[in-house]
Amino acid sequence: MAKWGQGDPRWIVEERADATNVNNWHWTERDATSWSKRKLKEVLEGLVVEGEAGRCEIGDLKHVEGEASCNSRKGKLIFFYEWNLRLSWKGTVKESGEKHKGSVEIPNLSEENEVDDTEINVSKKKGEGDVLKDLMRTEGTTKVREALRDYLKALKTEFTLGMILPTKAPGGQELATERKPSGSTVQDSVTPQSLDMVGVKIPTVRIHMREVFNSPADELYSIFTKKEVPSQRIVLKWRCRSWPDEHYATVALNFQDLVAQSELELECKGVPVSHEESTRQCWKKQYFEEIHILLQQSKDNME
């Protein structure tokens, strides 16, 4: 959870001064990228694959590209991860004692696919030793999938400790929740940024979007901040991770009540020219659509 005064760069959430995310209502995000890189190395490197053909071992994680994060909203955890991985392997043929090496590529490990459906490609350097390549394609692929499951299990348990805070039950009783082990640290996905920061000098554009939600404006406003001001406008600094380092856009969110609905008007100044369309899609798919779902879930729970 971001500390007081340290909102998330992609999804800004202001906590109360006492650092409490009341009833886990607000959207908070924890960046799991660095943690995931360490965990993927831990579960994949050193895997041993043995069979009648010989013995192979997974070596270094040569290439790790992607990101991962975990979002918490009203007590629910939502995971995003997308990885492109390449590992080395080496092996020895049982009968001849010949040694061979190759690679294992995982081009798209993401939440959109089950681990069993994730593509895993095994290749070998030129020469004899196809029996080892076959071993890696069968037993090796099975071992790799097991390791990927271990990573995802740890992401959803070990990494998320402390994200769901205690809530108050009727009568003031505090509900139990998992506690983060002493000595460990919570990873914040941001560093503090002042609102007058303008970022690096690059060509930028302004985008303007409107979205109508089936909720009162004050309920929609409360998703973004707990700050007790008139529920009409929020101005904040915001960035996508893919943008140039230290570059932030200025986002203005205007909330207006309609009949039985509310309209959110978004104005984002300082969007890198090359990221205009992806920024629109980011707000549309990752934020607006998620808010629609969360509001509907909240309505269903109340009914």
Side-chain angles (χ1 to χ4, degrees):
M1 182 183 71
K3 297 182 178 65
W4 169 249
Q6 298 182 9
D8 183 85
R10 294 195 318 171
W11 186 254
I12 300 296
V13 177
E14 284 192 56
E15 304 295 353
R16 295 189 343 175
D18 60 4
T20 301
N21 187 356
V22 181
N23 292 325
N24 298 292
W25 174 264
H26 297 301
W27 182 296
T28 59
E29 177 178 315
R30 184 184 295 177
D31 187 354
T33 302
S34 297
W35 178 92
S36 292
K37 289 180 178 180
R38 294 192 298 270
K39 179 60 69 172
L40 287 166
K41 287 176 66 70
E42 176 186 319
V43 299
L44 288 167
E45 291 185 349
L47 286 178
V48 174
V49 183
E50 292 186 288
E52 294 183 1
R55 182 181 187 276
C56 297
E57 182 177 336
I58 298 288
D60 293 335
L61 187 54
K62 296 286 189 179
H63 176 78
V64 186
E65 180 182 11
E67 63 178 356
S69 63
C70 178
N71 299 291
S72 171
R73 171 67 167 86
K74 205 174 182 184
K76 179 182 178 181
L77 296 177
I78 304 171
F79 297 89
F80 298 98
Y81 54 91
E82 186 173 7
W83 295 106
N84 184 328
L85 311 172
R86 185 175 71 250
L87 302 131
S88 64
W89 66 267
K90 59 183 179 180
T92 304
V93 179
K94 187 174 183 180
E95 291 186 359
S96 65
E98 293 179 345
K99 297 184 182 298
H100 298 276
K101 59 180 64 175
S103 63
V104 178
E105 294 192 10
I106 307 167
N108 185 27
L109 174 66
S110 74
E111 77 278 356
E112 296 180 355
N113 302 309
E114 297 292 335
V115 172
D116 288 341
D117 298 325
T118 299
E119 183 179 357
I120 298 178
N121 301 316
V122 176
S123 60
K124 183 187 71 63
K125 293 192 174 182
K126 294 181 180 179
E128 300 294 331
D130 283 343
V131 290
L132 293 182
K133 182 178 179 180
D134 292 338
L135 176 62
M136 286 298 298
R137 279 179 171 175
T138 54
E139 298 299 324
T141 296
T142 299
K143 289 268 190 178
V144 169
R145 292 192 194 280
E146 290 175 355
L148 296 178
R149 290 190 189 93
D150 289 341
Y151 155 67
L152 294 178
K153 180 179 179 181
L155 175 65
K156 296 176 181 180
T157 55
E158 175 186 329
F159 178 77
T160 59
L161 290 176
M163 286 197 72
I164 302 299
L165 304 178
T167 59
K168 294 290 184 178
Q173 181 181 1
E174 188 171 76
L175 300 179
T177 187
E178 292 181 308
R179 293 180 177 232
K180 191 168 182 65
S182 60
S184 58
T185 59
V186 176
Q187 290 179 297
D188 291 326
S189 59
V190 298
T191 55
Q193 300 291 338
S194 62
L195 287 180
D196 58 356
M197 181 176 181
V198 295
V200 295
K201 293 183 178 180
I202 59 174
T204 64
V205 295
R206 177 189 302 186
I207 65 173
H208 188 266
M209 302 173 68
R210 294 178 184 271
E211 188 78 10
V212 174
F213 295 90
N214 292 322
S215 73
D218 57 352
E219 181 180 359
L220 182 61
Y221 177 93
S222 70
I223 293 177
F224 291 86
T225 179
K226 184 63 179 176
K227 191 172 181 180
E228 295 181 357
V229 297
S231 306
Q232 296 175 349
R233 180 177 173 86
I234 299 174
V235 178
L236 47 87
K237 290 295 180 182
W238 178 93
R239 75 184 301 274
C240 282
R241 292 194 187 100
S242 59
W243 290 3
D245 291 344
E246 304 302 324
H247 182 78
Y248 281 71
T250 299
V251 173
L253 301 173
N254 294 291
F255 304 85
Q256 182 178 358
D257 265 318
L258 305 176
V259 178
Q261 293 178 314
S262 61
E263 180 184 71
L264 171 59
E265 179 185 15
L266 163 73
E267 184 177 45
C268 189
K269 300 178 183 178
V271 176
V273 171
S274 60
H275 293 265
E276 179 180 0
E277 184 56 31
S278 63
T279 300
R280 290 181 182 275
Q281 292 300 314
C282 178
W283 278 96
K284 181 70 176 176
K285 294 185 177 296
Q286 294 191 25
Y287 300 150
F288 292 169
E289 291 183 5
E290 287 294 333
I291 292 175
H292 280 296
I293 293 172
L294 292 168
L295 290 173
Q296 184 60 47
Q297 290 176 342
S298 178
K299 181 179 179 181
D300 293 342
N301 290 336
M302 292 179 64
E303 293 176 351

